[in-house]
Amino acid sequence: MPFIDLKAQYAALKTSIDARIQRVLDHGQYIMGPEVKELEEKLAAHVGVKHCISVASGTEALLIALMALDLQPGDEVITTPFTFAATAETIVLLGGVPVFVDIEPDTCNIDPKLIEAAITPRTRAIMPVSLYGQVCDMDEINAIAARHGGLPVIEDAAQSFGASYRGRKSCGLSTWGATSFFPSKPLGCYGDGGALFTDDDALAQAAREIRVHGQSQRYTHTRLGVGGRMDTIQCAVVLAKLERFDWEIARRLAIGERYQELLAGLPEALGVQRLAVRGNRDCVWAQFTLQIEAREAVFKSLNGAGIPTAIHYPRPLHQQPAYERFGRGQVLPHAEAAARRVMSLPMSADLSEAQQDVVVAALRQALQQHVARV
């Protein structure tokens, strides 16, 4: 059983994907070809914003967003410690200081109630992460930002593209929305890719210049930039995948809900905690993640039974060697507890009910065996 079934997805879209790629091979515009603009227009319409800027990866999206905001050395960016390293990495690469705020124990997203106390005169931006496919409470975060001089908010939506929050789409909820098209994401290409979303004309222009080495026109470098373009072939792949993206999101919602229902039947004594999905939003389950007290034993048992699993993430950033100096010895109990307990199960739009039943049965057996041993 695959953890993410990209082969089944390709089989369903093979004709369209192959044709899209062949078109690029025929016209030969591998960098900034016509598919780039076509994809940006379609993605902007999907999210409901004025501007989409395709970039080389989700990491580049965050980096370019911060560069467009002119983040300076010593500037602070409030974010979560429970995320992939790229979130803090981009801040530090620019000389900024990540300020870590603990998470909600039931969603694993940043806790908005703790953000305001972390704001200082050096705060330049807030970067929440919509983890596992569920959008953070962006209205509350935006309100906090507004109360403090209109701080920019960057939604790290690498895992939540396609998700909804109060009737609006992830990536269209704040100053910047940044997503990834890494192959395993809800909308993925066949390599690296990403995108930025905004309604701000000036920021959009800055990002477009930054992604081509700061050029406002050919060989006129008006600002510091990077080589951050998304390849035309990767744009072509995403264009083909957009054809059934709405169906895939509907499937992810249904599969996630069924997982939740099946897991709700597990006895409380087995020590499984399902992630909460707030009533005013949904979750597209980039990973279907739950928290398990006996994670190591269950992890070994499932893998031994041929059920692939993963841990997103085993160590929070404030305890990572590269970033612990920014944590300054912080104790962030919910992030630390989640890192000890989270485990992700197989998840993709093509996962069948029969496969789900096999996964949950194996999980139940592993938990019962562990309880029997202790």
Side-chain angles (χ1 to χ4, degrees):
M1 182 186 302
F3 186 67
I4 299 170
D5 198 346
L6 293 177
K7 289 184 178 180
Q9 183 193 54
Y10 174 62
L13 291 166
K14 176 177 169 55
T15 300
S16 183
I17 290 173
D18 290 356
R20 282 279 189 178
I21 291 174
Q22 187 61 53
R23 200 170 304 151
V24 177
L25 296 174
D26 288 341
H27 66 57
Q29 298 178 56
Y30 301 115
I31 303 296
M32 301 303 288
E35 286 79 6
V36 175
K37 182 179 180 182
E38 181 185 356
L39 178 64
E40 290 175 347
E41 290 175 348
K42 288 185 175 179
L43 292 176
H46 177 87
V47 171
V49 296
K50 289 173 65 177
H51 303 284
C52 168
I53 304 96
S54 61
V55 294
S57 68
T59 305
E60 288 292 317
L62 295 175
L63 183 68
I64 292 171
L66 290 168
M67 291 176 72
L69 293 171
D70 197 28
L71 189 79
Q72 294 296 306
D75 286 350
E76 296 175 354
V77 179
I78 295 172
T79 191
T80 169
F82 196 62
T83 177
F84 184 62
T87 307
E89 178 180 59
T90 53
I91 300 167
V92 176
L93 281 170
L94 296 175
V97 178
V99 175
F100 298 119
V101 167
D102 209 358
I103 61 173
E104 298 171 329
D106 58 345
T107 68
C108 292
N109 277 336
I110 192 169
D111 190 338
K113 297 188 295 297
L114 303 177
I115 290 176
E116 201 148 22
I119 294 175
T120 75
R122 298 291 300 174
T123 303
R124 181 68 181 88
I126 304 171
M127 188 185 290
V129 177
S130 295
L131 197 67
Y132 302 139
Q134 179 178 192
V135 177
C136 303
D137 195 341
M138 295 299 290
D139 283 355
E140 186 172 349
I141 294 170
N142 288 334
I144 293 167
R147 289 198 296 270
H148 290 268
L151 289 170
V153 176
I154 305 166
E155 182 195 5
D156 181 344
Q159 298 181 10
S160 62
F161 194 77
S164 296
Y165 170 86
R166 298 181 186 271
R168 294 169 288 155
K169 291 289 189 182
S170 178
C171 287
L173 304 166
S174 53
T175 315
W176 276 121
T179 198
S180 168
F181 300 130
F182 188 78
S184 62
K185 303 302 183 189
L187 181 61
C189 56
Y190 287 159
D192 276 313
L196 281 164
F197 299 85
T198 188
D199 282 319
D200 188 303
D201 295 342
L203 287 178
Q205 182 60 31
R208 290 191 178 102
E209 293 176 6
I210 291 167
R211 75 171 172 184
V212 288
H213 302 282
Q215 295 177 94
S216 56
Q217 57 186 2
R218 189 164 176 79
Y219 298 130
T220 300
H221 301 268
T222 55
R223 63 179 78 237
L224 186 67
V226 296
R229 298 161 299 202
M230 185 171 172
D231 296 346
T232 308
I233 283 180
Q234 299 303 339
C235 290
V237 171
V238 177
L239 280 165
K241 289 193 177 186
L242 274 175
E243 294 176 11
R244 76 164 200 166
F245 187 55
D246 287 343
W247 175 86
E248 288 200 11
I249 292 300
R251 286 284 299 150
R252 285 181 170 275
L253 296 177
I255 292 166
E257 184 177 353
R258 187 169 188 269
Y259 257 140
Q260 294 281 62
E261 291 171 354
L262 292 171
L263 292 168
L266 294 177
E268 187 174 335
L270 296 181
V272 173
Q273 179 184 341
R274 297 169 296 148
L275 289 182
V277 179
R278 299 284 187 251
N280 54 14
R281 67 202 79 166
D282 58 26
C283 183
V284 295
W285 300 110
Q287 291 88 29
F288 186 87
T289 303
L290 60 160
Q291 299 192 51
I292 302 176
E293 293 290 347
R295 183 180 68 189
E296 294 310 310
V298 171
F299 185 84
K300 290 178 182 178
S301 179
L302 289 182
N303 288 348
I307 307 295
T309 59
I311 298 173
H312 304 95
Y313 298 95
R315 184 187 291 187
L317 296 186
H318 70 293
Q319 295 181 336
Q320 291 282 358
Y323 304 105
E324 59 187 357
R325 69 186 187 274
F326 301 107
R328 299 177 295 276
Q330 280 179 291
V331 176
L332 301 173
H334 297 314
E336 292 164 23
R340 292 191 299 268
R341 301 174 69 230
V342 292
M343 188 176 75
S344 302
L345 302 178
M347 179 68 191
S348 61
D350 294 287
L351 187 73
S352 69
E353 290 191 358
Q355 288 174 313
Q356 270 191 294
D357 291 340
V358 169
V359 171
V360 174
L363 175 62
R364 179 187 291 271
Q365 183 177 14
L367 290 164
Q368 289 172 338
Q369 287 175 344
H370 174 75
V371 169
R373 284 196 299 268
V374 298

